[in-house]
């Protein structure tokens, strides 16, 4: 006879749902507690008038395989769509300017486009070129992305290209972001080639004659939205408790906010960062919960296509020093044609984290009007058909300098709690594939395979 292991999962975002799936596959009985009234966490898809509205993530990095493997296992691979790409722009010195050809994650890799671009002054271009001869900057101790890039490439390339491109991913600032925890690949490149320009160039595959490398983007999504993933993972849960906040975790025990205590063979924590400290009562968990987090505000706006300035490409990022409250604008209908009906346009704008706190007390209409006013200083848009404001309050973890050390001491402290594992965006990566990876590893560590009883 097989005795099923009883596993509790706390948090029903992509991490918790993926953990539920892998635990179920391994033969466990899965109970999931979610504080909210819906599953999905930051993933939220709404369908309206033929538009697919992604209120949270809209796609994921195709080169990280775990999520695509999961999508295939769920039989959803027929619904995979790849992002389109085109000219990328940066709003600098009050104008949308094309990103120099050959720039990879903001690092220039081609000589002539860099020479010809109007993004930087000659002084800025010359300073960036010093990267070819400068010694290594990273020496085994974590530093901020700002320190790393400024030292290698100089202030102009950082402020006009790298900062607007990379800081948006974490909704933070380069000064706060740890190179070890956010983009460790730059450490590897510097170690191997010393120069970032030469290192990124070596990584970029040569373009073959006649090829159109810009057509296929680097991101994948699902035709009816990422909400499809949430729905497909739902059957892995045997017992689902929505609107149920977990107050405390002890080895093999889950205490709910109403005081009820349930026992389990194993517990997987997959909550957003602020919940860890209060739930575990460990100083190391509180330290992680107390790390900087930011709130994000995004506004989706649907238009007739004729009411939006016609530009080739998929959108733009905005340099901070322009003083605009927006950090980026994605032309979703161009990046993801499945998201808007023919003849329609869908724009998504991101409000910079420092402008978010005063706006949070405003209603959605006011926030949307504010965002559109800011947008109109950059590009023409007419009257929207509708807008959708999304607030992600205080839940975007910032991987600050030293983050890896905090995670290591948290993991050491957690190891003392028998049968309790943690995973998700707070620890080792905020991208959806990273979350799925960490959920899979947490289930493996827990060893949930049923014991054979005779
Ligand atoms: C606007 C935005 C855009 C993004 N875009 C992308 C993108 O395009 N691609 C990409 O890869 N990533 C993107 N990300 C990042 C990615 O969406 C997140 O890192 C990821 O979804 C986090 O998943 P999670 O399950 O770890 O956490 P969450 O989705 O935050 O889920 C945690 C869940 O735990 C629940 N919970 C918290 N406390 C308790 C408790 N005490 N008891 C019970 N339940 C609790 C919460 O209610 C929540 O549902 C984006 C993030 C944001 C905010």
């Amino acid at each position: 006879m097989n005795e099923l292991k009883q596993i509790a999962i706390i948090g029903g975002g992509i991490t918790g749902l993926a953990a539920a799936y892998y635990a179920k596959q391994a033969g466990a009985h899965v109970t999931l507690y979610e504080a909210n009234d819906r599953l999905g966490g930051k993933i939220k898809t709404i369908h309206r008038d033929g538009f697919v509205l992604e209120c949270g993530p809209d796609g994921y990095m195709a080169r990280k395989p775990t999520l695509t493997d999961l999508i295939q296992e769920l039989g959803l691979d027929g619904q995979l769509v790849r992002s389109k790409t085109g000219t990328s722009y940066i709003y600098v010195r009050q104008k949308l300017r094309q990103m120099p050809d050959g720039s990879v994650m903001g690092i220039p890799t081609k000589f002539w486009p860099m020479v010809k671009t109007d993004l930087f002054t000659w002084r800025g271009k010359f300073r960036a070129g010093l990267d070819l001869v400068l010694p290594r900057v990273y020496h085994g101790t974590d530093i901020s992305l700002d320190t790393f890039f400024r030292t290698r490439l100089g202030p102009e390339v950082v402020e006009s290209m790298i900062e607007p491109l990379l800081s948006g991913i974490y909704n933070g600032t380069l000064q706060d972001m740890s190179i070890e925890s956010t983009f460790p690949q730059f450490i590897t490149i510097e170690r191997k080639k010393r120069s970032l320009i030469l290192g990124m160039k070596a990584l970029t595959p040569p373009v073959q004659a006649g090829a159109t490398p810009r057509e296929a983007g680097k991101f994948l999504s699902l035709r009816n939205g990422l909400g499809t993933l949430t729905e497909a993972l739902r059957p892995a849960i045997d017992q689902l408790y929505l609107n149920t906040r977990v107050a405390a975790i002890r080895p093999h025990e889950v205490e709910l906010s109403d005081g009820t205590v349930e026992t389990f063979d194993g517990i997987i924590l997959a909550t957003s960062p602020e919940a860890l400290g209060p739930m575990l009562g460990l100083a190391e968990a509180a330290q992680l919960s107390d790390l900087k987090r930011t709130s994000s505000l995004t506004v989706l706006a649907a238009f007739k296509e004729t009411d939006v300035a016609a530009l080739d490409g998929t959108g733009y990022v905005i340099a901070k020093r322009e003083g605009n409250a927006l950090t980026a604008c994605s032309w979703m209908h161009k990046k993801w044609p499945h998201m808007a009906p023919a003849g329609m346009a869908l724009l998504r704008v991101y409000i910079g984290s420092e402008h978010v706190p005063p706006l949070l007390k405003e209603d959605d209409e006011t926030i949307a009007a504010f965002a559109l006013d800011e947008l109109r200083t950059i590009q023409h848009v007419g009257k929207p058909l509708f807008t959708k404001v999304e607030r992600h309050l205080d839940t975007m973890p910032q991987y600050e300098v030293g983050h890896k050390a905090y995670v290591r001491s948290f993991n050491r402290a957690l190891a003392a709690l028998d049968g309790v594992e943690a995973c998700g965006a707070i620890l080792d990566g905020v991208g959806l594939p990273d979350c799925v990876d960490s959920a899979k590893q947490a289930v493996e560590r827990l060893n949930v395979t049923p014991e054979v009883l005779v």
Side-chain angles (χ1 to χ4, degrees):
M1 200 179 94
N2 283 351
E3 178 84 338
L4 291 193
K5 290 213 176 148
Q6 301 288 326
I7 301 300
I9 293 170
I10 323 300
I14 183 65
T15 309
L17 288 167
Y21 173 82
Y22 293 118
K24 184 77 183 165
Q25 289 293 104
H29 180 275
V30 176
T31 301
L32 190 143
Y33 298 100
E34 166 54 53
N36 215 325
D37 59 0
R38 52 173 277 279
L39 288 173
K42 293 190 178 69
I43 296 181
K44 184 171 161 193
T45 308
I46 296 172
H47 295 98
R48 179 168 170 182
D49 303 340
F51 289 88
V52 178
L53 307 175
E54 292 289 15
C55 303
D58 56 297
Y60 67 92
M61 288 285 270
R63 70 177 164 77
K64 298 184 173 180
T66 328
L67 182 49
T68 306
D69 291 348
L70 175 63
I71 285 171
Q72 275 164 358
E73 283 176 43
L74 292 166
L76 297 175
D77 39 328
Q79 296 192 33
L80 276 172
V81 283
R82 192 174 271 272
S83 61
K84 299 275 184 239
T85 132
T87 313
S88 307
Y89 298 89
I90 307 187
Y91 187 68
V92 175
R93 298 198 304 282
Q94 307 293 304
K95 196 178 154 200
L96 283 178
R97 295 167 199 271
Q98 284 192 16
M99 189 110 64
D101 189 28
S103 316
V104 187
M105 298 173 89
I107 317 294
T109 65
K110 286 188 181 168
F111 181 71
W112 283 114
M114 187 62 181
V115 169
K116 285 192 282 185
T117 182
D118 61 355
L119 259 183
F120 318 112
T121 62
W122 282 106
R123 193 188 167 90
K125 292 175 192 182
F126 177 76
R127 175 62 188 83
L130 287 184
D131 166 76
L132 298 168
V133 294
L134 282 171
R136 289 183 181 80
V137 174
Y138 175 83
H139 296 290
T141 306
D142 201 9
I143 50 176
S144 73
L145 287 179
D146 189 68
T147 303
F148 181 76
F149 288 125
R150 236 171 238 274
T151 316
R152 289 229 66 89
L153 298 160
E156 268 196 55
V157 170
V158 171
E159 287 162 24
S160 300
M161 199 152 71
I162 297 179
E163 144 85 15
L165 277 175
L166 299 190
S167 60
I169 298 173
Y170 288 82
N171 192 36
T173 69
L174 291 194
Q175 284 96 330
D176 287 338
M177 288 160 70
S178 141
I179 189 167
E180 288 180 356
S181 295
T182 55
F183 294 100
Q185 61 269 46
F186 290 121
I187 298 176
T188 313
I189 288 169
E190 198 199 41
R191 196 173 54 232
K192 284 191 184 152
K193 297 272 180 185
R194 195 179 40 76
S195 155
L196 274 188
I197 295 176
L198 296 179
M200 292 302 277
K201 193 178 175 64
L203 285 181
T204 315
V207 179
Q208 299 191 339
T212 49
R214 285 178 166 274
E215 270 170 19
K218 297 187 182 81
F219 297 92
L220 290 170
S221 193
L222 293 167
R223 202 181 307 122
N224 289 317
L226 290 171
T228 314
L229 189 56
T230 309
E231 284 155 31
L233 289 166
R234 164 73 184 81
I237 305 166
D238 295 295
Q239 199 104 44
L240 172 62
Y241 295 95
L242 292 175
N243 298 307
T244 307
R245 182 167 290 278
V246 171
I249 296 290
R250 294 176 287 275
H252 304 288
E253 280 187 1
V254 172
E255 182 178 330
L256 307 182
S257 53
D258 67 1
T260 315
V261 176
E262 303 283 353
T263 58
F264 294 91
D265 296 304
I267 299 166
I268 294 180
L269 302 173
T271 66
S272 28
E274 74 288 357
L276 272 190
M279 270 191 320
L280 286 169
L282 295 172
E284 294 82 352
Q287 209 170 32
L288 273 185
S289 283
D290 291 347
L291 289 181
K292 195 167 169 183
R293 300 187 297 273
T294 55
S295 299
S296 81
L297 264 180
T298 59
V299 181
L300 282 156
F303 300 91
K304 287 190 190 141
E305 206 166 3
T306 46
D307 285 340
V308 174
L311 286 163
D312 169 45
T314 53
Y316 50 90
V317 291
I318 299 156
K320 222 173 227 162
R321 60 167 185 230
E322 295 307 303
N324 197 290
L326 307 181
T327 57
C329 171
S330 297
W331 299 325
M332 303 300 271
H333 59 298
K334 297 213 174 166
K335 182 178 176 190
W336 303 109
H338 68 280
M339 287 190 186
M344 300 292 170
L346 182 66
L347 269 52
R348 174 151 101 162
V349 298
Y350 302 76
I351 297 176
S353 54
E354 67 275 28
H355 298 274
V356 169
L359 282 172
L360 287 175
K361 59 179 185 321
E362 306 292 349
D363 60 21
D364 286 2
E365 220 169 277
T366 311
I367 293 171
F370 170 81
L372 287 174
D373 282 349
E374 291 291 291
L375 180 67
R376 286 188 181 109
T377 65
I378 302 177
Q379 69 163 105
H380 163 75
V381 290
K383 192 175 176 328
L385 301 167
F386 63 83
T387 56
K388 170 83 186 83
V389 172
E390 191 64 25
R391 302 152 193 253
H392 292 275
L393 300 185
D394 209 20
T395 56
M396 197 71 186
Q398 298 297 297
Y399 290 180
E400 292 185 281
V401 175
H403 179 80
K404 267 201 184 317
Y406 289 126
V407 171
R408 271 196 300 273
S409 66
F410 168 72
N411 284 336
R412 271 197 302 273
L414 192 68
L417 300 185
D418 186 41
V420 183
E421 294 292 343
C423 48
I426 191 170
L427 299 174
D428 297 319
V430 298
L432 298 175
D434 304 309
C435 293
V436 172
D437 255 334
S438 76
K440 192 173 191 182
Q441 287 162 20
V443 172
E444 281 164 9
R445 287 195 301 272
L446 210 48
N447 184 19
V448 301
T449 312
E451 275 157 26
V452 180
L453 302 178
V454 280

